[in-house]
Amino acid sequence: QGLSQIASSLCSTQKSASDYTNFDREFLSEKPKLSYSDKNLIESMDQSAFAGFSFINPKFEQILDK
């Protein structure tokens, strides 16, 4: 077998955008939690890497608009 054949056999396929068959069932059964963010810690970090960057998830914008 060639390297590309081996690599392609290791790649999983996804049937649709909602295909979660490659995820562990225990992981999927966990309740999602928002990450805790310490405002002071974030403000103390160098934010220059994010200069000029802005992004708001369109789904989140829809929630805010309600």
Side-chain angles (χ1 to χ4, degrees):
Q1 281 187 339
L3 185 57
S4 61
Q5 290 173 322
I6 294 171
S8 66
S9 68
L10 297 175
C11 295
S12 59
T13 56
Q14 190 176 6
K15 296 176 180 101
S16 70
S18 59
D19 178 10
Y20 305 111
T21 55
N22 294 311
F23 285 87
D24 182 72
R25 290 191 186 279
E26 184 178 344
F27 171 78
L28 292 173
S29 68
E30 292 180 12
K31 251 185 145 176
K33 294 184 249 179
L34 291 177
S35 300
Y36 170 75
S37 60
D38 181 345
K39 186 176 180 182
N40 293 326
L41 174 62
I42 292 171
E43 289 176 351
S44 72
M45 298 171 73
D46 178 16
Q47 298 293 310
S48 63
F50 303 103
F53 176 81
S54 65
F55 174 79
I56 297 178
N57 184 329
K59 291 179 182 179
F60 186 67
E61 279 185 318
Q62 292 170 0
I63 294 169
L64 292 176
D65 290 340
K66 288 183 180 180

